[in-house]
Structures are given as C-alpha cells and as structure tokens.
Amino acid sequence: MACSELVLREARAIPPLPGKTRTKKRAMKIGIVEDQKLFRDLISKVCREDLECTVEFEACRGVDAILQIARSTPEIVLLDLRLADIDGFTVIDYTRASGIETRYLVVSCYCSEYAVHRCEQSGISGFIDKYTGMVKQLRDAISAIAGGKCYFCETFQNTRINQRLNPKSFLKLLSYSEQNVLSLLGAGHDDGSIASILGISHGTVEGHRSNLMRKLNLESTAKLIIFAINHEVQLFRPAEVQSRKRTHQPLPFGALVDMPRGHK
C-alpha cells in the first residue's frame, strides 16, 4: 500500500477532538512548508479543523516560505526538510539570521544521525515522523509547542540516543568543516566547486578530504562519496551560514536559488 494511502487511512481513523472539551482561545498562527500536496493538505486540515489554528500560509518551495515567514511572522512553522529548491535547514538559518523569531516543527521522513544532528544545531522545537502516526503526533506536537514545550518523536529520540552512546559515530570523529566537505562530496562536487561554495582554498579542501579518508578509514574519494550517500549527509546543504548567524547578517536573498543541494 502506498504511503499516501496509509496517511489518508490514518487521518480517517482518528476521530476529531471532542468539541465539548474545547475552550475559546486565541488561534495560533501557523505556517506550512511542504512540497507534497497530499501531506500539505492533510496538515492544513488538522491545523484548521482540529486544532483551530490560523494557517497564515502554505508553501511548497523554500524561497517562497522565507518570504511568507517574513511577511506573516507565524508562531510555529511546520517544515519539511527536503524541498524542491532549498532544504529546510536553509529556511531556518536564513530566517534566524534575518532576526525573524518563530518556532519550527520539522515534519519529515529523514531521521538519520546527520539529519538529527543538523536539527539539534538548528534549535528546532520539535520533530515528527511523516510516515508514523503523523496525525496524532501533529496534534500532540503543536499542543506541546504552544505550551512552551518541545516535542520529539520516538524515532528522533532513539536516533539521538544511539548517536550519543556510539563513541565511533562519524559526527564525533569529524570536525564541522570536514562534515561540510563530506556533504558536498556526496552531492557530486569536485574540489574546485567545494572551495568556491565554502569560501576556502583548494588546498584546504584537499586537506579536509585527506583527513576524512584517514578518520573514516576509507581509501578513496569514491568511498567517501558512497559513505556520504549511505549516511544521507549529501541530502542537505552544508551549515556554513552558522558564522553569519553569529554576526546577525543574512545571506544575499538572490543567492538562495543557486545554493547547492544533494540528490533528490
């Protein structure tokens, strides 16, 4: 059975929240960023009808989401990590660097060690698994975040615990810069392209690549690429905007369209 059918069946199986128990309160402002229409419609339905939130906008592209977030300043943004143009982390980094305060609830099927690591770096307020009990998790997560708490699904928490307990996790072995280089290698960039993207010299890239092979005990660049793909490191843009966040300077907006991304 297709995932879309499972999600629809799940949505129909869970009854709406009892109307008698609801108390009148200010509607929470929500933004939805999701490139799959089925999930976007389902999320919107749950937010509007069950949780009585005000959906300020719906977007399927990251660049459009950034503009909408700046205009409407929602209290919570429900955000997919993989979008058609830029990834969800770019949306978070850009809006935070621009001084926009909002809380992010990630709705994604990507829950690898690297994805969890990047989520923690980004300071999100919650994470729910798109394909595992999404409707109930969505209700619980929004309610928790609205109350000033965080919500992380069981899959996310298990991945985080396993990574922290594993002394040989590649995230503990590699530096911040080495992780960025590994991400771009996995996405198919050569040394010259990586140097240009990260603003470092060709020799520095070669040094990082050499360190990657040594630390990961891999014999060639080809095996580094396979490693990156197997660990889903290539799926997300490197987090080099962290340095801009500290100076509170946003990236040039026009540059977002040409940002590197991994394989879809």
Side-chain angles (χ1 to χ4, degrees):
M1 183 181 294
C3 290
S4 59
E5 295 176 4
L6 289 172
V7 172
L8 287 175
R9 176 174 294 184
E10 173 198 346
R12 296 188 187 106
I14 298 178
L17 298 177
K20 292 182 180 180
T21 62
R22 291 177 177 171
T23 56
K24 190 67 176 178
K25 57 184 179 180
R26 183 183 63 83
M28 174 161 287
K29 296 166 58 179
I30 300 285
I32 300 171
V33 187
E34 166 62 60
D35 64 346
Q36 297 183 50
K37 188 177 187 303
L38 169 72
F39 287 104
R40 193 167 64 248
D41 291 345
L42 176 59
I43 291 170
S44 179
K45 180 178 184 296
V46 173
C47 289
R48 294 177 192 272
E49 298 181 8
D50 292 357
L51 299 175
E52 298 183 328
C53 297
T54 299
V55 177
E56 293 289 322
F57 72 87
E58 298 178 23
C60 61
R61 298 175 68 250
V63 170
D64 294 335
I66 292 171
L67 290 172
Q68 294 286 358
I69 292 169
R71 287 173 184 149
S72 60
T73 59
E75 295 164 272
I76 302 176
V77 172
L78 280 59
L79 178 67
D80 192 5
L81 291 181
R82 292 285 289 159
L83 303 167
D85 51 354
I86 58 177
D87 62 47
F89 295 121
T90 303
V91 174
I92 296 172
D93 288 344
Y94 189 89
T95 54
R96 292 264 174 83
S98 300
I100 301 170
E101 296 294 334
T102 191
R103 289 166 286 181
Y104 287 94
L105 171 60
V106 169
V107 183
S108 178
C109 60
Y110 294 101
C111 200
S112 64
E113 284 190 22
Y114 185 67
V116 168
H117 172 66
R118 289 292 301 277
C119 283
E120 290 185 299
Q121 282 185 322
S122 296
I124 63 172
S125 296
F127 185 107
I128 63 177
D129 188 343
K130 184 184 287 187
Y131 293 145
T132 306
M134 188 190 76
V135 175
K136 183 180 185 305
Q137 287 186 58
L138 188 59
R139 292 171 174 170
D140 293 344
I142 291 179
S143 296
I145 295 171
K149 301 178 181 179
C150 294
Y151 182 97
F152 295 95
C153 69
E154 184 178 354
T155 303
F156 184 98
Q157 294 187 55
N158 288 340
T159 300
R160 179 168 53 185
I161 291 171
N162 290 336
Q163 186 271 323
R164 290 180 176 179
L165 293 178
N166 180 11
K168 295 184 178 180
S169 168
F170 75 95
L171 295 171
K172 295 179 179 178
L173 300 176
L174 305 181
S175 70
Y176 178 81
S177 297
E178 288 162 354
Q179 291 175 33
N180 284 346
V181 171
L182 180 63
S183 171
L184 291 172
L185 282 172
H189 295 276
D190 59 21
D191 287 1
S193 176
I194 294 172
S196 176
I197 291 167
L198 297 181
I200 57 180
S201 70
H202 193 284
T204 300
V205 176
E206 290 181 340
H208 287 321
R209 182 158 44 82
S210 177
N211 288 336
L212 284 167
M213 289 190 287
R214 175 177 55 82
K215 290 182 178 182
L216 298 176
N217 196 26
L218 299 173
E219 302 169 353
S220 65
T221 299
K223 290 186 177 181
L224 278 178
I225 294 171
I226 293 172
F227 181 94
I229 293 172
N230 287 342
H231 290 79
E232 299 183 352
V233 179
Q234 92 292 357
L235 293 177
F236 307 111
R237 183 184 64 84
E240 79 278 0
V241 296
Q242 295 291 332
S243 60
R244 290 179 181 266
K245 288 166 66 178
R246 286 191 290 269
T247 59
H248 210 60
Q249 293 296 318
L251 292 166
F253 188 78
L256 288 172
V257 178
D258 299 321
M259 280 185 175
R261 7 183 225 281
H263 306 294
K264 185 69 176 172

